[in-house]
Amino acid sequence: MDFLKFEDVSFAYPPVEGDVDQDGKQIQPPAIFDHFSAQLPGGFVSLVGPNGSGKSTLMLLAAGRVLPNAGGVLLLGQDTRALNQDSRDKLASYIYQNMELDTDETTGALLDYVYQNGSLGGAAAGVVDPSKDFLAEIKEVFEVADLVDKKLTALSKGQLQRALVCFALLYGSKSIFMDEPFFAMEESQKESALKYLKAYCAATKIPVYISMHELDLTKKYADTVMLFYPNHDIDLGTADEVLTNEALEKSYGVPASMLKQSEELSREQIARRGWV
């Protein structure tokens, strides 16, 4: 059974009320996918490409957070149209880009709640160290043990991102989708998070799809890479097969050497804003 199957999928976002052209006519958003079919693997998968190329939309469709206008999406053999919210969440966890939660609960209380009330039922062994409880291992790896008494709304952007990844793991869904989950983390935290997620994916056989801009980290950790183009074409393969200079320049529209400079600039901006 394929992990993820798109069958003749067409999808466009609904028009935004009040979004009109110069003649006063309603603007119809363009199709992101038009009769798109693909069989996609499990494992540890990184989605890369410029903004607006379809990375987030593919994951939203895959995880059943949006439904196709036509065609079907099968996740682990189940049609996403047929899932209620509970069955959908057990099948797929999703971390949205720039996700925020409005709650007065402490981080520790929320970690405990998700662990106890998710599919794991509060009882799972660690992935790296099976002698540890899974929650204890997660707190250590993602450096959230010192945050348990803080309200979630009081966390910095980088701290919140680490907590959100913990929630996704502790819930115990059969697949995980993450949209730019690391952008405000320190570099060492990104490395430790990706190293752990790769080990988690290998040990549990739970597929993990991550959209991120850090090409060096994608090359280092991803089993499979999906490179998206502005016209919504997608290349699928290993990092060596897909992330060639020629393909990257076609995808991003700039010389490959400039992409590294862009990554470094983004990290400087994050540090200046104190998001870590």
Side-chain angles (χ1 to χ4, degrees):
M1 178 179 64
D2 294 310
F3 162 58
L4 182 57
K5 191 172 184 179
F6 285 71
E7 297 180 325
D8 199 29
V9 168
S10 295
F11 179 81
Y13 289 100
V16 178
E17 185 177 354
D19 191 7
V20 297
D21 63 19
Q22 60 184 6
D23 297 322
K25 294 182 179 180
Q26 176 70 55
I27 295 175
Q28 299 294 327
I32 306 298
F33 294 105
D34 186 18
H35 298 286
F36 173 67
S37 295
Q39 297 181 24
L40 302 178
F44 196 58
V45 180
S46 176
L47 291 74
V48 298
N51 292 334
S53 57
K55 304 185 300 296
S56 299
T57 303
L58 183 139
M59 290 197 295
L60 288 166
L61 286 163
R65 269 52 180 186
V66 299
L67 299 176
N69 303 134
V73 178
L74 298 178
L75 178 62
L76 291 167
Q78 297 192 47
D79 187 338
T80 58
R81 291 184 184 278
L83 300 173
N84 59 33
Q85 182 174 336
D86 182 61
S87 59
R88 181 201 70 185
D89 291 346
K90 288 180 178 178
L91 200 61
S93 289
Y94 196 98
I95 295 180
Y96 293 86
Q97 188 175 18
N98 291 320
M99 188 173 181
E100 294 184 0
L101 300 177
D102 185 14
T103 175
D104 287 330
E105 294 288 343
T106 65
T107 303
L110 290 169
L111 290 169
D112 290 337
Y113 180 84
V114 172
Y115 188 36
Q116 295 292 333
N117 292 276
S119 299
L120 297 178
V127 169
V128 175
D129 184 355
S131 68
K132 288 184 178 180
D133 179 74
F134 187 48
L135 175 57
E137 181 175 89
I138 288 292
K139 287 180 178 179
E140 180 179 336
V141 170
F142 292 94
E143 302 177 23
V144 297
D146 293 339
L147 307 178
V148 294
D149 294 327
K150 289 187 176 183
K151 291 184 178 181
L152 200 69
T153 51
L155 301 184
S156 71
K157 191 66 175 179
Q159 291 170 339
L160 176 60
Q161 286 187 296
R162 301 202 307 272
L164 291 172
V165 175
C166 292
F167 294 151
L169 292 169
L170 290 169
Y171 190 78
S173 300
K174 294 182 179 178
S175 60
I176 298 174
F177 297 86
M178 303 182 180
D179 193 355
E180 295 292 341
F182 304 137
F183 77 89
M185 291 188 194
E186 296 176 1
E187 293 309 300
S188 61
Q189 293 167 342
K190 292 179 184 181
E191 290 271 0
S192 61
L194 285 164
K195 182 179 180 181
Y196 184 81
L197 287 169
K198 187 177 178 71
Y200 171 86
C201 180
T204 64
K205 308 306 178 187
I206 292 174
V208 177
Y209 273 50
I210 299 180
S211 169
M212 58 182 180
H213 287 296
E214 294 88 348
L215 297 176
D216 287 347
L217 294 179
T218 287
K219 293 174 182 178
K220 186 173 181 179
Y221 290 103
D223 298 326
T224 304
V225 176
M226 299 180 69
L227 176 60
F228 288 67
Y229 294 90
N231 66 352
H232 309 305
D233 285 346
I234 304 170
D235 285 342
L236 177 71
T238 65
D240 287 341
E241 291 169 340
V242 171
L243 300 182
T244 64
N245 286 344
E246 180 181 2
L248 289 170
E249 290 174 8
K250 179 181 175 183
S251 173
Y252 287 90
V254 297
S257 59
M258 290 182 62
L259 295 175
K260 180 63 176 177
Q261 296 171 5
S262 176
E263 288 179 22
E264 292 173 349
L265 178 59
S266 296
R267 287 196 287 269
E268 290 175 5
Q269 291 172 334
I270 287 168
R272 284 200 301 271
R273 294 180 183 183
W275 285 350
V276 296

